[in-house]
Amino acid sequence: MISKPASEMTAEDYLFRGLDHWFMVKDFSAALADFDEAIRLNPEYVEVYNQRGQLRRVIGDYVGARADYSEALRLKPSYANVHYNWGILCCDTADFEGAITHWETCAELGDESIALQMYILWAKQQVADNQQ
C-alpha cells in the first residue's frame, strides 16, 4: 500500500492504492474513493475510468460502469481494453449484440487473442439462441 501523505499523492498513486484496496483488501468503498480522487486530480486519466468501470460492474453498478466506459472512450476512442470490458458488461446485462459490437471493435483495434475470438463466437451463439 502507498503510504505517502495525502498532500503528496498523485492521481497515479490513488489509482494504484485503489487497485490495492480492491484486489488485496477487498474494500470496494475505499477503492471507489481512491478512483474518485484520482479522477478529481486528473479528469482525463483514462485508465482510472476503465478501472472504476470494472469495479462498478463487479459490484452491480451497471449505470456507473457504462458512464465510466463512455467517458474513457470519449477521452481515448482507440482504447481496446475499454471495449473489451464493456463487452463483459453487456454480457452481464444480456446485451449480447452490444457485446459483439464492443468485442469486434476491440479486435479491430488490435486484440488478436483467441480468447476474444471465442467470446465473439459465444455471444453470436447467444444472439442466435435468443432468436429461436
Side-chain angles (χ1 to χ4, degrees):
M1 275 288 174
I2 296 172
S3 60
K4 291 181 182 178
S7 62
E8 295 177 17
M9 295 272 290
T10 66
E12 186 174 60
D13 293 331
Y14 280 106
L15 168 63
F16 286 113
R17 191 173 78 175
L19 292 170
D20 285 347
H21 279 128
W22 178 5
F23 292 106
M24 295 175 66
V25 183
K26 307 295 187 221
D27 185 342
F28 300 152
S29 295
L32 284 171
D34 282 340
F35 295 157
D36 291 345
E37 185 61 15
I39 289 168
R40 188 190 71 75
L41 290 173
N42 182 356
E44 296 191 5
Y45 196 174
V46 176
E47 184 56 27
V48 181
Y49 289 103
N50 185 40
Q51 293 298 330
R52 189 174 70 177
Q54 288 185 76
L55 178 54
R56 284 178 163 174
R57 182 190 63 77
V58 165
I59 64 175
D61 178 7
Y62 300 140
V63 171
R66 276 187 203 93
D68 282 339
Y69 294 150
S70 181
E71 182 61 13
L73 290 177
R74 184 190 71 76
L75 293 167
K76 186 176 179 184
S78 63
Y79 196 1
N81 193 249
V82 175
H83 285 286
Y84 180 87
N85 291 329
W86 203 332
I88 295 169
L89 172 65
C90 289
C91 288
D92 288 347
T93 59
D95 175 11
F96 301 109
E97 290 177 356
I100 293 164
T101 298
H102 283 288
W103 286 338
E104 285 180 342
T105 301
C106 182
E108 290 167 10
L109 291 170
D111 185 335
E112 299 176 0
S113 69
I114 292 173
L116 179 62
Q117 295 306 314
M118 297 295 288
Y119 292 153
I120 292 168
L121 290 173
W122 174 82
K124 287 180 177 181
Q125 186 61 53
Q126 300 307 305
V127 170
D129 289 350
N130 290 333
Q131 291 176 347
Q132 293 179 354

